[in-house]
Each structure stands twice: as C-alpha cells, then as structure tokens.
Amino acid sequence: MSVGKKKGEVPRRAFVNSVLVTAGAATAAGALAGYGLAEPAAGTEPAKEIVPFYGKHQAGIATRQQRNATFLAADLASRDVATLRRLLDELTLTAAALTRGDPPPERDSGVKGTSSLTDFGTGLPPARLTVTVGLGPAVFAIPELAARRPRHLTPLPIFDGDALNPWWCGGDVLIQICADDPQIVSHAVRSLRARMPGLATLRWTQYGFLSTPPDGGTPRNMFGHKDGTANPKPGTPAFDDIVWARSPEEPEWFAGGTYLVFRKIRMKTAEWDLTPLDEQDRVIGRRRSDGAPLGASAEFDPADLTARAPDGKLVIPADAHIRRASGMPMLRRGYTYDYGIVGGESHEHGEGTGEHGHGDGHKNHSRLDAGLLFCCYVRDPEKQFVETQRMLAEKDRLNDFIEHTGSAIVAVPPGAREGQSLAEGLLRGLG
Amino acid sequence: MSVGKKKGEVPRRAFVNSVLVTAGAATAAGALAGYGLAEPAAGTEPAKEIVPFYGKHQAGIATRQQRNATFLAADLASRDVATLRRLLDELTLTAAALTRGDPPPERDSGVKGTSSLTDFGTGLPPARLTVTVGLGPAVFAIPELAARRPRHLTPLPIFDGDALNPWWCGGDVLIQICADDPQIVSHAVRSLRARMPGLATLRWTQYGFLSTPPDGGTPRNMFGHKDGTANPKPGTPAFDDIVWARSPEEPEWFAGGTYLVFRKIRMKTAEWDLTPLDEQDRVIGRRRSDGAPLGASAEFDPADLTARAPDGKLVIPADAHIRRASGMPMLRRGYTYDYGIVGGESHEHGEGTGEHGHGDGHKNHSRLDAGLLFCCYVRDPEKQFVETQRMLAEKDRLNDFIEHTGSAIVAVPPGAREGQSLAEGLLRGLG
C-alpha cells in the first residue's frame, strides 16, 4: 500500500512549525508564523520552549512529540454555522494565548464577577504546548458545509473484533492537547472546556504519556516491546506526501490540513505477562529483548518476511503483527496510557468505610485499563489507515491481546494566520 | 495542636535518603545505604538520579517530591504471617532492584517459559524512583501481630461530609510509587503487581502528578491557588519530630517508621470556576492572584487571623480554609490528579459506533474527576490528621467545593538494611 506521489509534483518547502524562544519573548512568538527550528538549541530549558500556534499547518503534527497528551472530544451544542464559528473563535484565541504562555482572553460568562481559573495560569512555562483541533463527520451535516466536506472524511467502519465503548467514540470536535508537562496539559484542557458552555458539550477525554530514553533509544510500549516506528521525517517530501491534504484532490480551504485517526487500544497486560517469551516474540515478529525482527540480528535490520526455518516454517509467522501491519505509510503520534484501576464510579454508596472488603483479584484484573492511545495523521484515511486496519482485524496474532475500545476520525483544518480563526476558509462567506 | 517534643530528647542525626549516582554506577547505589545528598549536583541529568531503597527510613518520604506518583492498594490473599512475609520479601527485592535501575529478580510464575515484562525494563533510567510500603490496620488482625501493632494505627473515622467510594478506600497494603517519569511509575506498578499472584490482590490505584515552577515558585492546585505548604525541612529536628515514630512510644520494631494518611479529594472545578473571584479568595483566605493571605501583601506574609475590616467583619472569614486548617504539623506529599472523564466502564455495549450521541454536557460535567491525592506522613495520625480533619469537616467554606472520595491509613515500617526485607522486625521470631 502506498500513497501515490504524482508525477512531476514539485517537492514543497520543508516545513516544521517548531521554534524556540525564551519565556521572556513568549508573547512575540506568535508573530514568527511557524517557521523555525525543528530541534531545540542545546542548553535551552525545554520547559520554556514555545511551539507557535499560528502557521501554515496546525501545530502538534510535525511537532516533535511531547511527553504528555490529552485527547478531548466535544459535541456542538447546536449543529449550525454560527455555533461552529463562535466555538472555533474561542478555541483559536484560547489556544493561541496558552501556547505562547499567556492567560487566555477574558470571556463574559454571564455570572457577575466570575473569573476563570486561567487568569493566573499555572505559574509554569508552556513546555511546548500545542492544541490541534479537528472536525468530525457530523459537522459536515450542517447544510451549508456539505459541499465543503473534506473528501476523505467518512466515519470509520466497525472492524472485526472492535469492542468499542460509545463513551470513548466520536465527537463533532476532537482536540489533541500536548505538552512536556502534565499540569500544562490539564490546565489547557480546563481552559478550553471553559470556553465551551453554550457552544459545545464535553464528550470524552483520554490522557497518555510518552517517555523516550535519554540516549535516543526506541521507547517500549506496555507489552515491553520497542515500539519505534519508521515515521516520516518532518520537512521531507515523504512527510508532506503522507500527511498534508492538497487541492484539487481536496477542497481549496482544506489544503494544508490532514486527517487524525484516533483509536483507544486496550492492551491485555495480565494475559501478555502470562504468555511465554518466545510466543510473545512470534506474536509481534520481533524479539522483545532487543527489538530485532525474528531471524535478524539488530533492531534496525530489515524484516525478512520470506525466511523459513529448517523445518520449513516461516521465521516471522504468517499472522505476526509486523507482517500484517507492514507498509502502512502514516505519521504515528500515539501515547501510552495507564489508568490502573481508577474506575468504580458506578459503585458509589452513601457511607464510607476504611476497611470493608471489595477485593476480588480477578475482577480487578479485568478492570485494569492500560494500553495505547493510537493516533495517526494521514492524507487519505481510507488508504492509509482503514485498509491496513481491515487486514489487521482479519488476521493478526496480536488480536488475542488487544482490543479497540475507542475510535474517532476528524478532518484537521490547516493552520490559521494570526488574526484569523481556525477553519476560516471553511466558513468564509457563510452567515 | 502540636506534636510534643520530649524534654531532654537529643536531636537525631539529620537524615535524608537521597543520593546521586551516575546511571553507570547504578547497581552499586544500594550499598550506599541511604546516606547522601539532599539535592542533586548541578548539571546532572535528573532522569539518571537514584534514590537508594535501603536505609534507616523508607525512601519516598524525606525524598524531594517527584513529579509522578501512583498509590496502589492491595489485600493479602490470606491474612497470615507466612503470606505477609512472602509478600514483603517479593516487594522488597523488586523495589530494591527497580529503584537502582535493575530489572527485578526472576520469579517462577508456575507457567513454563513465562517471563515478566520487567526482564528488559523500559530502557529508561530510574528517574528517582521510590517505592514506599505501608501496612493497613487489618494486617494487625493477624493474631501473632496483635501485640506488635503500631500504637496509632486505627482506621480513620468517617468525617462529616465524607463521600467515600469503597473502591478507593482501605487496603491491607498501600504502596506509594513515585518517580520523575510516568512510564517508570507505570512499569514499577506493573512489576510489583506481577509479584502478587497468590499473595495479594490489587484493590485500587490512583495516579497523580506534581509540576513545580522552574523558578522554584509555589505550585498551583486545581483551584488555581498557590498550594505551597510550610512543610518541615528534611534533616531538621522539627522534621524528625513530626514524621518519625520512636520507641518507647511505639513498639521497638516500628521506631524510624511513620504513618501515611491518604485521601482522594475531588475538587469541583466546574462549580469553582463559576464562583466570583473575591468569594474564591474568601473561601481559601488567600488571594488567588499572588497567594497572599487576605489583608497581607505577599505570599509568605503571616496570616493575621484577628484583623477586621472597617465594617467589623473578620478579614479572613471565620470559616476560611486557612483559618480552619492552621497549625496542622505534618509532612504533606500530595499530588494533583486529573482523570478528565475517562469513566464509562459501566456503559459497555456489544457494537461500536463512531458517531451516535451520548452527549449530555451536564452529566459529563459531573463525571469530571480531578483534584488532590492528599498524602501526609505523620508520627501521630490522631493528633496530626484526625483532629484537624474533624475541625475542617465540621466547618470549612471549602467544603462546598470538595469531597473526600477515597481514604486509607497505613503504618509505614522503617527502612530495610540490605539483605533484609521490609518489616523484618515486625515478623522476627514468628513462624
């Protein structure tokens, strides 16, 4: 499977919207309009790094992945142009301010003297905060927007084996909030939510983290496997080709946008830990010890999908995950999550107790919720995600150990110019 | 309220069990036995810092607070000395290895070829990981242990207004796992849980974070207030007096131990954000803007509890939080939590969907779960926690905005010497 590069297409300018400024110069950062350095200068305090909100593309996509993320889904209070416009205005102003380290603009809540939490911020520098906003398929059910619908924005199908929880699915708006600090993420979520009353209602949130070895090694996932993917490199033609929407394939307003596919994938860690190591390796097709493909000697060796053992069996089994998933061109930007067994909302009672028992180890095992907040950015979700996911759903040894419990797809508008709101082009000329 | 310092008592040696070693020297760190530097040397990579597990006191108490924490409660599979001893052996060996950056020792799981996740670790340095183990009141219902029960280990009372969820309360064993990296915490929790089958069952977990401004300023809590507390300073006589158990007040084996009181406190952020700022300030008794006590000019000014405004009213209201809570001598080591609206386990259905609605903004508002994982270490929980909490529960303007939903108390044994297990003294001479 590949995303075709049209003949004669001119490689576009390398573009990475990460730039480094000092905290003191924070308020001027927006003016840099998204052109700058891909990596921080040595010796700069990472917490003070700023990723400009305004630019050709939205931030949080080509941005070097931050350590913490929350995905927030919300539904429009009313599916009409005016509500959507007001919501996008609020989200834009709030995100632009927070990402440069400023408090969000005041909003009249209608309650005398009300002053939102964000007035005084967190006392923390913005830690590369990005806010990335996408619009779900239902938004384009608004009559005036039907003709402007991004061409590939279709609700995801139900795949074999999906165990979706409707509480963790869909949404008219999906916002990815990332930073190198969890309180910055929490505060941004809170500030964005504070703009929603009357315009949108919160649907679900999911929180994850990503810890990268300081030596630059590949992070391990919740199954202990190195989960480093051959992501395209920002600023290269391959990246542009895989990620960014273009016209005339897409409506003019959507050029420079992309699609975000979100899947909450629960990983059955207890079952995994009771599976012998050599079987684990066959499930993935790589050795857990060093990440090498089976039959190869090092992590970055190519996987030989045709190699057979002396007994004639395929070294990398026919249903191994890396065989079934191979060749999927996408920008992956997922986060590990581990909620432990924080649940229990449905078991409230009137009186507390310090000691009486609810302990049932097996029940609690099944209440563990940990895994992957899969997140990918692609130019064509049908070709780049759905086709591969159908193959995986049909046959993948890993399916015994995972389940997809949440799902969403949104069209991510291009970046905004300073003074404009996100998706300005979508709403241009409408009431 | 004060914790009396006995006349003629000799101040004990300053003791802080944090020591800095390079990652390369990690495996030797355990031998340092807990005596070392309180603060990291300049220029050392914080992720590689190691806090020794072995020492006079358990680590994770006097240790400078880390950025991430999980509290894990479990119940003994069988309440007898042999089970407790085996569990403590497993927890000790696992914690000692993980905290120095090593994989935990192998354990025969009884399943051929089974190899736990921790064999290959995370690829991350230990990031000041600490594992602090406490024993709940029910443990001392084991007949042989009754005479050795720490004197102040009594189940917490139900306070006025408590809204405890039994799923988040109690536990025979409570383990505090802290590190400067969320994956290190997640992996340690997983590794500790992997030692429990047959010995203990998981009861609940709670995860929190703490972000400290890089300039050393006071962190803000989920209500946007500076929540810096006058914690005692490790290594001072005041600290020792507030935190560490001593004989003959306590059984000999428990000298050098302490008590941990855990409360999950939900903060009603939506209600708070709709409260006028000046009323918020009166609720707390401090200005949210700069943290100064009402009537004072700067954050660290003393609060004048007797000052009255020209109209004769108390400047700091009679039911303001800081007035009601004043004078509580304890070591606070709490963490902020923000679970968003991750719930929904009880709403599963057979077939997934990308778009059909469940959105009810008001319901979702009430499903938000964010607040404080209150955690304090004290030498006498009745005097240092319960008495003050009774006062707060009886009258505190803050009670309209918070609810206590989880609760636990444990006795935290002193530290272990290398080669011994935690609570060795408790089990000495028993079958």
Side-chain angles (χ1 to χ4, degrees):
Chain A
M1 189 177 73
S2 82
V3 179
K5 182 147 184 301
K6 302 225 171 52
K7 261 186 185 165
E9 186 185 336
V10 180
R12 274 153 294 152
R13 191 184 181 294
F15 182 89
V16 179
N17 55 358
S18 174
V19 67
L20 192 71
V21 297
T22 67
T27 49
L32 295 175
Y35 288 85
L37 304 168
E39 293 292 325
T44 305
E45 206 174 331
K48 295 188 175 170
E49 209 180 323
I50 285 173
V51 181
F53 175 77
Y54 294 106
K56 181 176 170 187
H57 307 291
Q58 285 197 58
I61 304 167
T63 307
R64 183 167 46 86
Q65 205 168 342
Q66 298 98 325
R67 295 170 60 89
N68 303 274
T70 287
F71 295 85
L72 179 166
D75 292 320
L76 288 171
S78 167
R79 285 197 183 126
D80 57 55
V81 167
T83 302
L84 178 61
R85 187 192 299 279
R86 283 182 54 208
L87 179 67
L88 288 167
D89 288 349
E90 293 285 350
L91 296 179
T92 299
L93 288 173
T94 305
L98 291 173
T99 52
R100 67 179 175 245
D102 289 341
E106 291 286 333
R107 185 196 180 198
D108 180 6
S109 69
V111 179
K112 184 180 168 300
T114 297
S115 183
S116 78
L117 178 80
T118 49
D119 292 358
F120 309 113
T122 55
L124 303 167
R128 301 204 300 129
L129 174 66
T130 57
V131 174
T132 314
V133 177
L135 304 175
V139 168
F140 296 89
I142 297 174
E144 298 94 317
L145 303 184
R148 303 181 182 190
R149 185 184 187 105
R151 195 159 310 168
H152 300 294
L153 184 61
T154 308
L156 296 174
I158 306 295
F159 298 99
D160 288 349
D162 271 4
L164 301 182
N165 181 329
W167 285 95
W168 303 334
C169 289
D172 291 355
V173 178
L174 178 57
I175 311 178
Q176 172 197 275
I177 300 112
C178 301
D180 286 327
D181 182 284
Q183 187 168 354
I184 287 291
V185 170
S186 166
H187 177 259
V189 169
R190 175 91 162 275
S191 305
L192 292 164
R193 168 168 77 77
R195 317 305 278 200
M196 291 184 184
L199 301 176
T201 56
L202 203 52
R203 187 180 175 97
W204 54 262
T205 63
Q206 299 289 336
Y207 168 75
F209 58 84
L210 177 79
S211 301
T212 305
D215 62 3
T218 308
R220 287 183 183 266
N221 64 21
M222 289 301 278
F223 284 166
H225 265 272
K226 293 193 177 192
D227 200 352
T229 47
N231 259 344
K233 198 174 152 60
T236 63
F239 185 96
D240 293 350
D241 190 50
I242 287 166
V243 176
W244 303 127
R246 59 188 67 157
S247 68
E249 183 183 325
E250 291 279 7
E252 182 68 31
W253 78 269
F254 193 58
T258 181
Y259 297 88
L260 185 170
V261 175
F262 173 89
R263 304 284 285 182
K264 180 176 183 179
I265 303 175
R266 181 170 173 251
M267 297 167 73
K268 301 176 183 173
T269 51
E271 289 84 339
W272 182 258
D273 287 351
L274 290 173
T275 301
L277 180 60
D278 54 353
E279 170 59 14
Q280 290 183 355
D281 289 354
R282 282 191 299 270
V283 168
I284 303 297
R286 289 182 181 273
R287 291 195 299 260
R288 205 179 78 190
S289 56
D290 60 4
L294 296 185
S297 60
E299 180 183 355
F300 294 104
D301 288 351
D304 182 350
L305 296 175
T306 62
R308 289 182 184 270
D311 65 3
K313 283 186 184 162
L314 285 165
V315 171
I316 295 175
D319 57 356
H321 181 69
I322 63 164
R323 179 188 295 275
R324 301 292 296 174
S326 64
M328 190 181 341
M330 52 171 57
L331 173 66
R332 285 178 59 180
R333 218 175 177 286
Y335 284 88
T336 292
Y337 75 92
D338 181 358
Y339 299 157
I341 48 169
V342 298
E345 296 90 326
S346 53
H347 308 94
E348 287 184 10
H349 69 157
E351 299 222 330
T353 169
E355 284 193 63
H356 84 249
H358 278 72
D360 177 331
H362 293 290
K363 262 192 196 155
N364 283 357
H365 249 207
S366 69
R367 286 171 60 221
L368 280 168
D369 191 11
L372 172 67
L373 304 179
F374 173 91
C375 166
C376 74
Y377 287 92
V378 293
R379 177 162 70 78
D380 182 341
E382 172 65 27
K383 277 193 187 153
Q384 293 171 270
F385 175 78
V386 175
E387 284 183 10
T388 305
Q389 183 53 32
R390 275 211 188 92
M391 284 181 55
L392 290 172
E394 178 195 313
K395 187 166 87 167
D396 177 1
R397 211 157 179 157
L398 191 55
N399 290 342
D400 290 343
F401 299 97
I402 63 174
E403 54 185 19
H404 289 234
T405 62
S407 181
I409 181 171
V410 287
V412 178
R417 285 174 195 278
E418 195 150 13
Q420 295 188 338
S421 290
L422 287 169
E424 186 99 1
L426 169 64
L427 301 180
R428 193 168 296 146
L430 300 179
Chain B
M1 189 178 70
S2 81
V3 179
K5 184 147 181 298
K6 301 223 171 56
K7 262 188 184 165
E9 185 184 337
V10 181
R12 274 153 293 153
R13 188 184 184 293
F15 182 90
V16 179
N17 54 359
S18 174
V19 67
L20 192 72
V21 297
T22 67
T27 50
L32 295 176
Y35 288 87
L37 304 169
E39 293 293 325
T44 305
E45 206 173 333
K48 294 188 175 170
E49 210 180 321
I50 284 173
V51 181
F53 175 77
Y54 295 106
K56 182 177 169 187
H57 307 293
Q58 287 197 58
I61 303 167
T63 307
R64 184 168 46 87
Q65 205 168 342
Q66 298 98 324
R67 295 170 60 89
N68 303 274
T70 288
F71 295 85
L72 179 166
D75 292 321
L76 289 170
S78 167
R79 284 197 185 127
D80 58 55
V81 168
T83 302
L84 178 61
R85 187 192 299 281
R86 284 181 54 208
L87 179 66
L88 288 167
D89 289 348
E90 293 285 350
L91 295 179
T92 300
L93 288 172
T94 305
L98 291 173
T99 51
R100 67 178 174 248
D102 290 341
E106 291 285 334
R107 185 194 180 198
D108 180 7
S109 69
V111 179
K112 186 180 167 299
T114 298
S115 184
S116 79
L117 177 80
T118 49
D119 292 357
F120 308 112
T122 54
L124 303 167
R128 302 202 302 129
L129 174 67
T130 58
V131 175
T132 313
V133 178
L135 304 175
V139 168
F140 297 90
I142 297 174
E144 298 94 317
L145 303 184
R148 302 181 182 190
R149 184 183 188 106
R151 194 159 311 168
H152 300 293
L153 184 61
T154 308
L156 295 175
I158 306 294
F159 299 97
D160 288 350
D162 272 4
L164 301 181
N165 181 330
W167 286 95
W168 303 334
C169 288
D172 292 356
V173 179
L174 177 58
I175 312 178
Q176 172 197 276
I177 300 114
C178 301
D180 287 325
D181 182 283
Q183 188 168 355
I184 287 290
V185 171
S186 166
H187 177 259
V189 169
R190 175 93 162 272
S191 304
L192 293 164
R193 168 169 75 78
R195 317 305 280 198
M196 291 184 184
L199 302 176
T201 56
L202 203 52
R203 188 181 174 97
W204 54 263
T205 62
Q206 299 289 337
Y207 169 75
F209 58 84
L210 178 78
S211 301
T212 305
D215 63 2
T218 308
R220 287 184 184 264
N221 65 20
M222 290 300 278
F223 284 165
H225 265 272
K226 294 194 177 191
D227 200 351
T229 47
N231 259 344
K233 197 173 153 60
T236 62
F239 184 96
D240 293 350
D241 190 49
I242 288 166
V243 176
W244 303 127
R246 59 188 68 156
S247 67
E249 182 183 329
E250 291 279 8
E252 182 69 30
W253 77 269
F254 193 58
T258 182
Y259 297 88
L260 186 170
V261 175
F262 172 91
R263 304 284 285 183
K264 180 175 183 180
I265 304 175
R266 180 169 174 252
M267 296 166 75
K268 301 176 184 174
T269 51
E271 288 84 340
W272 183 257
D273 287 351
L274 290 173
T275 300
L277 180 61
D278 55 353
E279 170 60 12
Q280 290 182 355
D281 289 354
R282 282 192 298 269
V283 167
I284 302 297
R286 288 181 182 274
R287 292 196 298 260
R288 205 179 79 191
S289 55
D290 59 4
L294 296 185
S297 60
E299 180 182 356
F300 295 104
D301 288 352
D304 183 349
L305 297 175
T306 62
R308 290 183 183 270
D311 64 3
K313 284 187 185 165
L314 285 165
V315 172
I316 296 175
D319 56 356
H321 181 69
I322 63 164
R323 178 188 295 275
R324 301 292 296 172
S326 65
M328 192 181 341
M330 51 170 59
L331 174 65
R332 285 178 61 179
R333 217 175 179 286
Y335 284 87
T336 291
Y337 76 92
D338 182 357
Y339 299 157
I341 47 169
V342 298
E345 295 89 330
S346 54
H347 308 92
E348 288 183 11
H349 68 158
E351 299 219 332
T353 170
E355 284 193 65
H356 83 247
H358 277 73
D360 177 329
H362 293 289
K363 260 191 195 158
N364 282 358
H365 250 207
S366 68
R367 287 170 62 222
L368 280 169
D369 192 11
L372 172 67
L373 303 178
F374 174 91
C375 167
C376 75
Y377 287 93
V378 293
R379 177 163 71 77
D380 183 340
E382 172 65 26
K383 277 193 188 153
Q384 294 170 270
F385 175 78
V386 175
E387 284 184 10
T388 304
Q389 184 53 34
R390 274 211 189 93
M391 283 181 57
L392 291 172
E394 179 195 312
K395 187 166 87 168
D396 177 1
R397 210 156 177 160
L398 191 54
N399 290 342
D400 290 343
F401 298 97
I402 63 174
E403 55 185 17
H404 289 236
T405 62
S407 181
I409 181 172
V410 287
V412 177
R417 285 174 195 278
E418 195 150 14
Q420 295 188 339
S421 290
L422 287 169
E424 186 99 2
L426 169 64
L427 301 179
R428 193 168 295 147
L430 300 179

